[in-house]
Amino acid sequence: MTSTIDPKSIGRPARPHRHARTLTGYFPEKDASGKDKWPRGDEKAWKDGQRSVDKDVKSVTRNFVGHVQTSLARQAYNLDDFGAYQAAALSTRDDLLVNWNNTQLTYTRKSPKRAYYLSLEFLMGRTLDNALLNLGLKETFSDGVQRLGFNMEDILEQERDAALGNGGLGRLAACYLDSSASQELPVWGYGLRYKYGIFQQFISTDGEQLEAPDPWLDNQNPWELPRLDVIYDVRFYGHADRLNDGTPRALWQGGQEVLAVAYDVMIPGYSTATTNNLRLWESKPKRGFDLNSFNAGNYEGAVEASNSAQAITSVLYPNDHTYVVLFGKELRLKQQYFWTAASLADIIRRFKNLGKSMQEFPDYVAIQLNDTHPTLAIPELMRILIDDEDLRWDNAWGIVTNTFFYTNHTVLPEALEKWPVPLMEHVLPRHMQIIYDIVLDFLLAVEKKFPGDRERLARMSLIEEGVPKQVRMAHLACIGSRKVNGVAELHSELVQTTILKDFVEFEGIGKFGNVTNGITPRRWLDQCNPELSTLITNTLKLKKSVWLKDLTKLEGLLPFAEDKVFRAKWAAIKQRNKERLAHYVQTTLGLTIRTDAMFDVQIKRIHEYKRQSLNILGVIHRYFTLKKMTAAEKAKVNRRVVFFAGKAAPAYYIAKLTIRLIVNVARIINADPDTKEYLQLYFLPDYSVSLAEVLIPASDISQHISTAGTEASGTSNMKFCLNGGLLLGTVDGANIEIAEEVGENNVFFFGHLTPAVEDLRYQHLYHPVPIEEKCPALAEVINQVSTGAFGDGGVYEPLLNTIRQSDYYLLTDDFDSYIAALDMVDEAYLDKEEWVKKSIRTTAKMGKFSSDRAINEYAESYWNIEPTSVPPEGY
Ligand SMILES: *Cc1c(COP(=O)(O)O)cnc(C)c1O
């Protein structure tokens, strides 16, 4: 299948015009006494929440112009928006660096226990706006660039997203870094510096997803510092020989050696001098190229080793909750080891500078494993303690199991990571030996507690029998950690009663817990919805820095739900956010959206368990219902604009078909004169953090409709509700806790509950009922798609068959209650005043979902670390 790229289909404006212009106000006017006249005096330097260096408009613009002339080597009369962004970023970075240095110095001096967050993904989005907010320089800076003839919003738009993640897991890591720094906690992140982030998504005219690489570093990255002095060797392959000298030691030699080079990314806390570090590793060849081949004129051979080393950190694997396509992927295994080995070497070096004995390691270091991706850190720390530090096995295992903490992110069986034993033996021979030793000890202990229970041993083993045998990473992460947690109450419960049930019985429930996810209110309210933030600040009569750091303060909004004037202001902001989104779609896609309608949004990775298919089939149902209505009937319906956005893993065929269906349904219904006034549908390409920041504040209702028990938590549900969008969802993940907080009457729930799911699936397989009987409304919709109402029906058969056949995600069971819930949403929306009350009450009760709360739970209940304040500069 070949398709052409519709140039309009990319939702990210290519830097369009480069209007170079002169910096106005570069030469300030003089006042009567001959001194420079600036719009604001130095007395305005300190804003709410700011305790940085003495900053005013004058010094900000000076620094900015300095970077234009020196770092960028450009003239003050010849600068475009992109140049202005670069200068803005570089001068902001100067401020970050001062705090960053102070913070690291403080940590070195005070040597507190530190926590390290190991995540293969950090979905950071843009940095400039966040850095200025956190530094307390946003207004000053904005004034400064305006004086120079630039507009802050245009400058911010020039920045490319740092998209080193797939979805929720990577964004969670980014929110946790923001909260750690804001709470003054000594936490560093460790990840990989991918040359290419998550692919750019294009949509062809016939609805096919096309992928292009994301060369995010092409514009240079002002937010990172290469640390050419922080370098470690990492080995792969070779052979491991046990010494058999009465110790468990072995010698691992030969194979390939590559270098890990550190790049540091500054993570400023909000309204504090604390600026933590995110250290990302880049792979480099240890020896440039093979001289023998080079001299023989074999240039390809000469660069091969170099290419093989560089490949390790080239690309982010584009999979979210699906490992099928990863099975046996050697490069992915090498990424995981490269990253954990470099990170541990760095952590140990820092620990050794304290001059403590290895026994005290867990008193100074806590390491959080974000999903099973960094689980190799467990055998790697064992290797170091045994082979390099010469510790006894039990002693080493004691240190390991007091250092690590494991967060599980999914109970979907296909998403549980496993590595084939032969591949592990080939790439990491020493680690495979260690894993076998761990297995032996572990199974002996299980056998002791449950004598003769062979099935239990097989279920619990770290090695799954089969051809090939596989290492179960979740089991290794579990037994190698001090605590194991899920990411929402229901999910943690499921972890304990399903995939790790045997481990709860063996190790006791005390080891297992829950930390419900959170989101940072700095980015997901103040930055993305500045008008709402200002209204909240004025209404609560609190400083912004107070409620943004204690989000439960939002409860103070509750009484204002009864205030008509306040409600009008609240609704007007939602309306302006819709217009902002409409403007974005107009300028990027050339499409005109009506804004006098309910905005209904589902944005997240495209996956069967998230059930975008349920949503699109619901839209089709609504379309045909409208088609059958008289004009008088239609006049009473609620106008709806439905938005989808999200990427499908490139090899995930059914997910890509779902996108195709959405795009083709949109093409038909947006052009239908009978209905287009009442129903519009858009698929916005290339979902990203920055796109989410425009969509979320504009939403009236958002959909989180996973099959019960499949969405571990979800975090976009929290973002929408924080911005006063109501939630339509299943009783799943954090939806449940959101409803507990905001009140069930303010959310729209539907669908079967988790305990029913297993039974329903069994029925589908062994007592199937034809869809026509079970759910005639859905049968009709499927029939329309199949017979070509939205283009060649045959194309969609594989997608439709997943529903007609085993229907693993229960669309046939939930469709009717889904449609009923949509009708309830319509009815509720028609009562505008009541709807706005619900919206206000929802925002008011979202305090629990701040990532500040979540990170404090990790710090107190898991890591045992404490806030360590950094004196502001000048002390
Ligand atoms: C928050 C966020 C997600 C997670 O969304 P869910 O609906 O919770 O899966 C994914 N991608 C981006 C860009 C996000 O900002």
Side-chain angles (χ1 to χ4, degrees):
M1 208 175 316
T2 61
S3 301
T4 49
I5 293 175
D6 173 359
K8 281 185 174 164
S9 75
I10 178 78
R12 184 188 294 157
R15 227 182 299 139
H17 352 267
R18 294 185 158 217
H19 287 308
R21 48 200 191 272
T22 301
L23 294 178
T24 60
Y26 168 50
F27 305 103
E29 291 169 45
K30 305 283 179 197
D31 65 15
S33 65
K35 276 168 66 184
D36 291 354
K37 219 165 80 179
W38 293 87
R40 283 192 176 182
D42 296 1
E43 77 280 0
K44 284 288 287 181
W46 290 93
K47 299 287 299 178
D48 165 26
Q50 172 185 308
R51 24 176 274 215
S52 177
V53 275
D54 193 23
K55 279 281 162 186
D56 59 11
V57 176
K58 185 156 98 183
S59 65
V60 159
T61 46
R62 262 205 194 128
N63 196 12
F64 180 98
V65 172
H67 277 294
V68 169
Q69 294 177 326
T70 57
S71 312
L72 303 178
R74 297 184 69 163
Q75 304 293 345
Y77 55 79
N78 176 23
L79 195 71
D80 56 14
D81 280 341
F82 183 64
Y85 159 69
Q86 289 180 299
L90 288 169
S91 52
T92 305
R93 181 173 105 153
D94 292 342
D95 291 318
L96 291 178
L97 278 174
V98 173
N99 289 345
W100 185 89
N101 261 322
N102 271 341
T103 305
Q104 307 324 314
L105 193 66
T106 304
Y107 291 166
T108 305
R109 277 197 192 136
K110 296 190 181 173
S111 49
K113 182 175 183 185
R114 300 171 181 241
Y116 298 102
Y117 197 81
L118 266 58
S119 181
L120 206 41
E121 305 187 6
F122 287 92
L123 191 48
M124 305 295 280
R126 289 174 173 151
T127 294
L128 179 56
D129 190 44
N130 180 254
L132 288 172
L133 170 68
N134 286 8
L135 284 165
L137 288 175
K138 208 165 148 170
E139 286 180 31
T140 316
F141 213 93
S142 184
D143 281 359
V145 295
Q146 196 167 357
R147 197 181 148 72
L148 294 171
F150 284 83
N151 174 336
M152 199 62 200
E153 269 164 36
D154 296 338
I155 291 180
L156 296 175
E157 278 296 308
Q158 298 298 312
E159 182 172 356
R160 254 176 186 280
D161 275 35
L164 306 185
N166 276 284
L169 175 145
R171 185 54 233 174
L172 183 75
C175 283
Y176 281 173
L177 291 183
D178 182 84
S179 282
S180 298
S182 299
Q183 299 295 310
E184 307 189 325
L185 292 167
V187 176
W188 276 27
Y190 276 105
L192 289 181
R193 181 180 181 270
Y194 303 106
K195 191 165 173 202
Y196 300 98
I198 187 69
F199 64 86
Q200 285 189 67
Q201 179 193 53
F202 293 84
I203 304 296
S204 78
T205 39
D206 55 354
E208 198 189 346
Q209 169 178 289
L210 304 171
E211 300 97 25
D214 164 38
W216 71 294
L217 293 168
D218 279 5
N219 287 344
Q220 296 197 312
N221 177 10
W223 306 112
E224 67 180 10
L225 291 165
R227 290 270 164 205
L228 302 179
D229 53 329
V230 182
I231 297 187
Y232 298 95
D233 283 0
V234 179
R235 182 186 309 279
F236 299 99
Y237 316 109
H239 49 95
D241 304 303
R242 294 188 189 264
L243 297 188
N244 294 321
D245 61 351
T247 73
R249 289 175 67 202
L251 201 57
W252 180 24
Q253 291 170 301
Q256 178 190 22
E257 279 182 278
V258 303
L259 295 181
V261 182
Y263 284 73
D264 286 347
V265 180
M266 296 141 272
I267 307 292
Y270 172 64
S271 192
T272 163
T274 297
T275 299
N276 282 335
N277 195 25
L278 166 60
R279 182 157 280 179
L280 302 177
W281 301 105
E282 182 189 50
S283 58
K284 282 215 322 196
K286 185 157 179 182
R287 282 170 278 278
F289 41 59
D290 175 18
L291 271 182
N292 288 335
S293 305
F294 189 80
N295 289 333
N298 175 8
Y299 300 123
E300 270 174 35
V303 293
E304 209 174 81
S306 147
N307 289 344
S308 147
Q310 276 162 359
I312 295 170
T313 53
S314 281
V315 281
L316 166 75
Y317 275 93
N319 304 291
D320 192 56
H321 291 303
T322 156
Y323 280 93
V324 195
V325 277
L326 279 183
F327 182 82
K329 283 278 188 286
E330 181 169 322
L331 188 61
R332 169 81 172 197
L333 183 64
K334 287 178 79 172
Q335 282 189 339
Q336 294 188 348
Y337 179 63
F338 171 81
W339 155 58
T340 50
S343 305
L344 266 183
D346 199 42
I347 291 167
I348 289 172
R349 182 190 51 81
R350 190 167 307 111
F351 168 75
K352 287 200 160 180
N353 285 340
L354 299 174
K356 308 278 177 187
S357 97
M358 227 45 220
Q359 302 304 324
E360 291 178 84
F361 192 67
D363 300 331
Y364 288 88
V365 173
I367 300 176
Q368 188 70 42
L369 308 175
N370 194 24
D371 210 331
T372 52
H373 312 151
T375 301
L376 287 169
I378 291 169
E380 172 67 1
L381 183 54
M382 284 301 281
R383 185 190 68 80
I384 294 168
L385 295 178
I386 287 171
D387 294 351
D388 299 349
E389 302 293 327
D390 207 6
L391 297 192
R392 285 179 301 108
W393 179 272
D394 291 347
N395 192 356
W397 187 244
I399 292 171
V400 166
T401 52
N402 275 307
T403 298
F404 291 106
F405 299 84
Y406 160 51
T407 303
N408 172 282
H409 282 271
T410 183
V411 294
L412 296 182
E414 73 271 22
L416 293 173
E417 245 187 329
K418 291 169 195 167
W419 287 107
V421 169
L423 181 68
M424 289 276 300
E425 277 171 339
H426 176 55
V427 179
L428 300 168
R430 177 60 183 138
H431 297 79
M432 201 57 234
Q433 285 176 347
I434 289 171
I435 290 171
Y436 273 124
D437 290 350
I438 295 173
V439 174
L440 188 65
D441 265 15
F442 173 64
L443 292 183
L444 282 173
V446 176
E447 166 67 24
K448 198 164 169 194
K449 181 152 183 178
F450 302 99
D453 193 343
R454 295 189 65 92
E455 278 184 23
R456 182 183 296 266
L457 291 181
R459 286 198 309 268
M460 293 182 76
S461 179
L462 309 188
I463 311 284
E464 187 172 282
E465 292 303 323
V467 184
K469 290 183 183 167
Q470 297 188 77
V471 183
R472 295 161 166 158
M473 302 310 271
H475 291 193
L476 180 54
C478 175
I479 68 169
S481 295
R482 187 179 171 86
K483 295 247 183 182
V484 176
N485 76 287
V487 291
E489 273 164 25
L490 172 69
H491 167 67
S492 296
E493 163 105 27
L494 288 173
V495 168
Q496 293 157 26
T497 54
T498 63
I499 58 170
L500 297 181
K501 179 168 184 274
D502 291 319
F503 294 82
V504 173
E505 288 171 13
F506 176 63
E507 306 201 58
I509 189 72
K511 171 165 174 170
F512 298 83
N514 170 250
V515 180
T516 299
N517 284 167
I519 54 169
T520 169
R522 271 73 68 180
R523 182 176 299 261
W524 297 112
L525 178 51
D526 186 63
Q527 286 177 241
C528 71
N529 202 343
E531 281 201 61
L532 195 67
S533 178
T534 303
L535 177 64
I536 291 170
T537 301
N538 295 340
T539 307
L540 294 179
K541 300 204 160 54
L542 289 173
K543 285 183 175 183
K544 185 165 93 175
S545 56
V546 170
W547 66 264
L548 268 185
K549 276 195 154 173
D550 176 5
L551 203 61
T552 60
K553 291 279 194 298
L554 286 177
E555 272 195 49
L557 294 173
L558 274 181
F560 294 91
E562 308 308 320
D563 177 341
K564 208 166 162 30
V565 177
F566 181 78
R567 286 203 302 270
K569 289 184 190 163
W570 191 270
I573 291 170
K574 182 63 79 185
Q575 187 58 34
R576 284 196 288 279
N577 287 331
K578 289 182 184 182
E579 278 148 23
R580 184 177 72 166
L581 171 59
H583 176 75
Y584 171 87
V585 174
Q586 182 72 251
T587 52
T588 57
L589 302 177
L591 299 171
T592 307
I593 295 182
R594 60 184 318 137
T595 54
D596 60 345
M598 163 185 268
F599 277 19
D600 172 345
V601 184
Q602 188 180 17
I603 49 174
K604 47 185 81 237
R605 283 304 286 256
I606 312 289
H607 200 294
E608 286 167 283
Y609 88 83
K610 291 179 183 277
R611 298 202 294 191
Q612 282 90 358
S613 51
L614 182 61
N615 187 347
I616 188 60
L617 295 170
V619 170
I620 297 171
H621 180 267
R622 166 170 295 249
Y623 171 63
F624 287 115
T625 307
L626 280 169
K627 291 281 278 183
K628 287 180 206 141
M629 284 183 176
T630 63
E633 282 170 331
K634 278 193 277 195
K636 286 188 229 144
V637 307
N638 178 27
R639 289 199 173 108
R640 230 179 235 264
V641 183
V642 179
F643 296 91
F644 283 91
K647 294 174 182 176
Y652 194 169
Y653 179 59
I654 297 293
K656 287 180 133 180
L657 263 189
T658 308
I659 295 177
R660 200 183 179 100
L661 180 60
I662 296 167
V663 171
N664 282 296
V665 171
R667 196 164 42 78
I668 299 291
I669 73 177
N670 291 347
D672 189 331
D674 291 348
T675 59
K676 68 178 189 189
E677 208 179 309
Y678 305 98
L679 179 61
Q680 293 188 337
L681 170 62
Y682 298 96
F683 186 92
L684 305 186
D686 206 35
Y687 182 47
S688 64
V689 169
S690 291
L691 183 55
E693 288 170 17
V694 186
L695 274 158
I696 289 168
S699 152
D700 294 304
I701 189 96
S702 68
Q703 302 206 22
H704 308 275
I705 57 178
S706 49
T707 311
T710 63
E711 184 73 275
S713 162
T715 47
S716 80
N717 44 5
M718 301 167 188
K719 300 169 194 166
F720 282 101
C721 292
L722 185 58
N723 285 275
L726 304 194
L727 185 154
L728 166 60
T730 43
V731 185
D732 201 16
N735 291 354
I736 300 168
E737 287 158 75
I738 291 174
E740 276 167 16
E741 293 295 306
V742 309
E744 280 220 22
N745 51 337
N746 294 318
V747 305
F748 300 89
F749 270 146
F750 74 96
H752 286 86
L753 306 187
T754 304
V757 170
E758 203 181 326
D759 247 26
L760 290 167
R761 284 177 176 161
Y762 183 88
Q763 299 289 329
H764 294 182
L765 290 177
Y766 300 104
H767 307 285
V769 180
I771 303 190
E772 291 73 17
E773 254 170 65
K774 187 174 174 188
C775 186
L778 179 59
E780 169 62 16
V781 169
I782 286 182
N783 189 42
Q784 289 283 0
V785 176
S786 182
T787 55
F790 306 101
D792 182 0
V795 170
Y796 303 113
E797 286 305 294
L799 168 61
L800 302 178
N801 281 339
T802 62
I803 305 166
R804 293 182 185 121
Q805 288 159 14
S806 66
D807 188 24
Y808 190 73
Y809 293 103
L810 312 190
L811 274 78
T812 56
D813 302 283
D814 284 349
F815 190 77
D816 289 337
S817 73
Y818 175 60
I819 297 298
L822 286 167
D823 289 343
M824 277 168 59
V825 171
D826 284 322
E827 199 181 305
Y829 194 70
L830 290 174
D831 185 347
K832 234 358 248 246
E833 292 297 322
E834 194 54 35
W835 184 276
V836 179
K837 283 186 196 174
K838 285 179 187 292
S839 168
I840 296 166
R841 288 176 187 143
T842 297
T843 300
K845 297 292 285 184
M846 286 299 289
K848 167 175 168 180
F849 302 97
S850 169
S851 44
D852 295 349
R853 183 271 312 154
I855 211 70
N856 280 325
E857 284 182 17
Y858 280 104
E860 284 167 24
S861 312
Y862 291 68
W863 306 332
N864 194 22
I865 61 168
E866 284 180 355
T868 302
S869 58
V870 175
E873 205 213 0
Y875 284 75

